[in-house]
Amino acid sequence: MDRSMDGGRKDVGILAMDIYFPPTCVLQESLEAHDGASKGKYTIGLGQDCMAFCSEVEDVISMSMTVVTSLLKKYKVDPKMIGRLEVGSETVIDKSKSIKTWLMQIFEGCGNTDIEGVDSSNACYGGTAALLNCVNWVESNSWDGRYGLVVCTDSAVYAEGPARPTGGAAAIAMLIGPNAPISFERKYKASHMAHVYDFYKPDLASEYPVVDGKLSQTCYLMALDSCYQQFCKKYEKLVGNQFSISDADYFVFHSPYNKLVQKSFARLYYNDFMRNCSSVDNDAKEKLQPFSNLTGEESYQSRDLEKASQQVAKHLYDIKVQPSTLLPKQIGNMYTASLYAALASVLYNKHSSLDGQRIVMFSYGSGLTSTMFSLKLNNGQNLFSLSNIASVLNVTEKLESRHMTLPEKFVETLKLMEHRYGAKDFETNKDTSLLPPGTFYLTRVDSMYRRFYDKKADEEIAAAKAKYSNGHASNGYANGH
Amino acid sequence: MDRSMDGGRKDVGILAMDIYFPPTCVLQESLEAHDGASKGKYTIGLGQDCMAFCSEVEDVISMSMTVVTSLLKKYKVDPKMIGRLEVGSETVIDKSKSIKTWLMQIFEGCGNTDIEGVDSSNACYGGTAALLNCVNWVESNSWDGRYGLVVCTDSAVYAEGPARPTGGAAAIAMLIGPNAPISFERKYKASHMAHVYDFYKPDLASEYPVVDGKLSQTCYLMALDSCYQQFCKKYEKLVGNQFSISDADYFVFHSPYNKLVQKSFARLYYNDFMRNCSSVDNDAKEKLQPFSNLTGEESYQSRDLEKASQQVAKHLYDIKVQPSTLLPKQIGNMYTASLYAALASVLYNKHSSLDGQRIVMFSYGSGLTSTMFSLKLNNGQNLFSLSNIASVLNVTEKLESRHMTLPEKFVETLKLMEHRYGAKDFETNKDTSLLPPGTFYLTRVDSMYRRFYDKKADEEIAAAKAKYSNGHASNGYANGH
């Protein structure tokens, strides 16, 4: 390595973060009733409270433009200081042109077109791939001192049926560089990659996936086991001590729905029991003993084991996992953004007590790709401090200012989007009434399938206009091609 | 950086390489006649000789399985030694499940599922993104001493019309690690990224792109200019001398068709002239003088400039570019594999004289993303030597053993593929007569859209079978899910 540069590259990781999610959402409780599902099926069965969805003026491109613009502004980052921009997404709008190229509009204005990176794709894992790529870039010989920027953006929608309540939508942006308050413990990392058809999108004309829910859940847990076992092995080889869940302060899981997160943490606890970790107490040992001779396959199918392990892990779940579940429960599955929305939830809920703590992350993308990795936290400074990140995330206010939509309206929107997916030559209703100031939105798709976006006026502009121009509403400046 | 590991990471780059392209191809001359195009339109106008295409038993997945298996075998690389696998492709078969996951079948067998990386996507650039990611990984703190593997795989097909003869198909695999015969000069690298609709794939139900040929060519040349100017600036800042085309031994361009490669090199020459490079001789100066006052826009449109610059650059083109054009002219546009097939052509044609030489690469993906970067060559050793790479590539024999198909058959195949794109529940004809031993092929797609592949028996197995079993043909072992 070029030693002269080493000094600038300690603690490479996440310097800053912002999240955007649509203001339109539907309560799982009302969706349950609307769908004629048994009471509690979505709220307790899936563990979800609410689900965000894109109205006809929003998509993964508009959401990512909104969140990148917001991050640059709120953390006062000059767009010229970005040297790499990578996007993780599984929401395909164009099969060739990357979402990254749309985001280049933000940087072309100031003459910065020398920005590496494209889109990473494999189901919900693409954001993690983009993030790891960006961190590697900062640590590589080709780093030029500028920041990396990672965007996770997805709109998760499902055909009518049991998977529909597991949708969601959001975009997250993360700024990457050295001396980060959220840095990577590079050597504690393990992946599990395999060829499986648990969830995939082979019907190219439809936005909806093909899902084998039961297989997908088993694949998730198998991948979790495999990653955790490798992770522990690597940790133990390097550190010399056995790793157990007591060695991390938080566990953050990719969250298709909250119930699977509960099962996942219980599964780690069961792993610790099977690995004879001293951290597993006697009461738990006794309760898990009946399951110690199960084969792997049996253990994934046993409802009794599921119940017993969730019960013995419950007190630790409340401490080590619960703080990460805020946004995923309120927004739903955000695909690539899901894991990082869960991380954002921990940062938001616990920022004042995270100094020196460790967060273990588990990323899963069907098909399948998965990685478990470790983050080390420190308070950071000024704009790039945990407390400032929490204040920019502004989760409570963002959640509270949302508009609860009736299930009928949600279903109607999805119907409309089915017709518009991959379509050309249409205009949207341009209804921006629910969008926060500064939000990008889709105005039309022309006869050549080209997409045009506009931006709702920023807060200051909106305020100024209201003051000086008799309060006429303005939709801001053109931002099309 | 972790200094203890630096020693193992000099000269990170390409250790080994292999290419696979379909045995089915069509002569551009006969396609010209079939299409009723004027004589020379495809052969001289586009500069292409022949075009490879996938028959109904081949696709980007089968080609990539073939080339990865072949690389591991020919360079005697244990599949356990692969720590990262990345795929670049713009040929979408599934919108969520990555091509990388299909390739995991090759590694799952030996228990190696801890392999990072997914698919990188933006038109023809994805392979370069994957390659740069892999090199960064080897130079990062998370490198664990294993090899990276990069796969570029694409099938380029166009709707009937002027773009159809610019198709092609191939898969390339590259092994990445330190002490490579083909290493990256990390600091000489410049990108140009922008939001453009020159070539894209918004019609999700069709494999064919939407192309604005004229715009795409201008975008390519503008991106080339921008990258070259930044590249020169970075070189000059670091080295202190002016950079000109005399400072590289070869220039390798992404090649949608050969004529654009000719124009591109002439454009670099014109750049050197405008930058007052001492390497531009007096005769050339005189001939280019009339164009010295053109605006950028005018210079892209001027046919006279195009002619004049190609003429003055011709003698250098023959030396510095011609050796890279062999495979692209014979196979056609291979999208992500195109640039690396051109590199393979240089390695194959010039391996014995490359020691110490520099190759400048230009990667372009519509939409748009582009990077210019520099490679330094050394002879290397044993299996990872330039001469062994050339012998594994075995270009002449691979090209000569192809089957020239009639244009009617080519058109018929594309018609069939139009129906099968995104379709389910069909069997292929399983005709492997033209496939070389060891080639993977598609057997069927089931009612759940799941794809199943088989492998034609390897040479040794085929030979053994022929010897001991009365010559019954065998299609090898099952490789489905």
Side-chain angles (χ1 to χ4, degrees), chain B residues 195-248:
Chain B
H195 167 58
V196 193
Y197 281 107
D198 58 332
F199 162 114
Y200 48 115
K201 291 180 173 169
D203 183 354
L204 303 166
S206 165
E207 193 169 4
Y208 303 139
V210 171
V211 198
D212 182 336
K214 195 169 155 22
L215 176 62
S216 191
Q217 181 179 303
T218 305
C219 286
Y220 185 109
L221 295 175
M222 283 175 61
L224 177 67
D225 278 359
S226 175
C227 284
Y228 189 57
Q229 283 151 22
Q230 285 278 343
F231 182 95
C232 291
K233 216 180 271 178
K234 289 185 188 179
Y235 179 94
E236 285 154 16
K237 203 173 160 188
L238 284 157
V239 177
N241 301 325
Q242 189 178 44
F243 185 91
S244 77
I245 50 180
S246 61
D247 290 301

Side-chain angles (χ1 to χ4, degrees), chain A residues 133-290:
Chain A
N133 283 342
C134 231
V135 170
N136 289 344
W137 171 70
V138 174
E139 291 183 352
S140 81
N141 278 327
S142 89
W143 187 55
D144 63 0
R146 293 186 292 166
Y147 296 120
L149 188 56
V150 172
V151 180
C152 307
T153 181
D154 270 303
S155 167
V157 286
Y158 293 83
E160 259 180 272
R164 177 157 278 188
T166 65
I172 284 191
M174 295 179 272
L175 191 73
I176 310 303
N179 309 314
I182 306 154
S183 67
F184 284 73
E185 297 193 297
R186 303 293 277 151
K187 297 294 176 194
Y188 313 149
K189 179 158 58 84
S191 297
H192 179 79
M193 308 280 182
H195 167 60
V196 193
Y197 282 107
D198 58 334
F199 162 113
Y200 48 116
K201 292 180 174 169
D203 182 355
L204 303 167
S206 165
E207 193 168 4
Y208 302 139
V210 171
V211 199
D212 181 337
K214 193 169 157 19
L215 177 60
S216 190
Q217 182 179 303
T218 306
C219 285
Y220 184 109
L221 295 175
M222 284 175 62
L224 178 67
D225 278 359
S226 176
C227 284
Y228 188 58
Q229 283 151 20
Q230 284 279 343
F231 181 95
C232 291
K233 215 180 274 178
K234 289 185 189 181
Y235 179 94
E236 285 155 15
K237 202 173 160 188
L238 283 155
V239 178
N241 301 325
Q242 190 177 45
F243 184 92
S244 78
I245 51 180
S246 61
D247 291 300
D249 300 284
Y250 297 98
F251 286 85
V252 175
F253 300 90
H254 167 58
S255 175
Y257 48 92
N258 178 258
K259 191 63 175 229
L260 188 54
V261 171
Q262 297 172 33
K263 289 182 187 176
S264 294
F265 185 72
R267 185 82 201 175
L268 292 189
Y269 198 97
Y270 175 63
N271 266 274
D272 278 1
F273 161 73
M274 293 292 281
R275 295 165 59 244
N276 276 318
C277 291
S278 57
S279 55
V280 177
D281 65 33
N282 287 333
D283 174 59
K285 274 184 192 150
E286 203 173 295
K287 287 188 170 122
L288 293 175
Q289 200 54 50

Side-chain angles (χ1 to χ4, degrees), chain A residues 284-302:
Chain A
K285 274 184 192 150
E286 203 173 295
K287 287 188 170 122
L288 293 175
Q289 200 54 50
F291 309 100
S292 59
N293 292 320
L294 294 185
T295 64
E297 191 51 33
E298 286 166 349
S299 75
Y300 297 116
Q301 307 310 329
S302 166

Side-chain angles (χ1 to χ4, degrees), chain B residues 41-97:
Chain B
K41 190 166 184 194
Y42 302 167
T43 49
I44 300 163
L46 294 173
Q48 293 296 114
D49 295 333
C50 190
M51 176 169 58
F53 64 95
C54 288
S55 72
E56 64 166 294
V57 293
E58 296 201 85
D59 63 19
V60 286
I61 297 165
S62 69
M63 289 196 295
S64 59
M65 293 203 291
T66 300
V67 78
V68 166
T69 311
S70 169
L71 180 139
L72 295 175
K73 185 179 162 193
K74 288 181 184 151
Y75 293 94
K76 302 192 199 325
V77 175
D78 183 344
K80 286 199 197 84
M81 279 302 292
I82 302 298
R84 191 173 180 98
L85 168 58
E86 302 197 54
V87 176
S89 180
E90 65 161 289
T91 309
V92 173
I93 284 186
D94 190 286
K95 291 183 295 173
S96 168
K97 183 172 162 60

Side-chain angles (χ1 to χ4, degrees), chain B residues 280-307:
Chain B
V280 177
D281 63 35
N282 287 333
D283 174 57
K285 272 184 193 151
E286 203 174 296
K287 287 189 170 120
L288 293 175
Q289 199 54 49
F291 308 101
S292 60
N293 291 320
L294 294 185
T295 64
E297 191 51 34
E298 286 165 349
S299 75
Y300 296 116
Q301 307 310 330
S302 167
R303 296 295 291 268
D304 292 335
L305 167 60
E306 203 176 282
K307 250 196 227 163

Side-chain angles (χ1 to χ4, degrees), chain A residues 84 95 97-98 113-114 116 119 121-122 133 139 141 187 189 191 193 200 206 234 367 421 448, chain B residues 84 95 97-98 113-114 116 119 121-122 133 139 141 187 189 191 193 200 206 234 367 421 448:
Chain A
R84 192 174 179 98
K95 291 183 295 174
K97 184 172 161 60
S98 62
T113 63
D114 187 10
E116 280 182 36
D119 291 7
S121 59
N122 185 92
N133 283 342
E139 291 183 352
N141 278 327
K187 297 294 176 194
K189 179 158 58 84
S191 297
M193 308 280 182
Y200 48 116
S206 165
K234 289 185 189 181
Y421 184 63
M448 294 290 291
Chain B
R84 191 173 180 98
K95 291 183 295 173
K97 183 172 162 60
S98 62
T113 63
D114 187 9
E116 281 184 35
D119 291 6
S121 59
N122 184 92
N133 284 343
E139 291 182 351
N141 279 329
K187 295 296 175 191
K189 179 158 57 84
S191 296
M193 308 279 182
Y200 48 115
S206 165
K234 289 185 188 179
Y421 185 63
M448 294 291 289

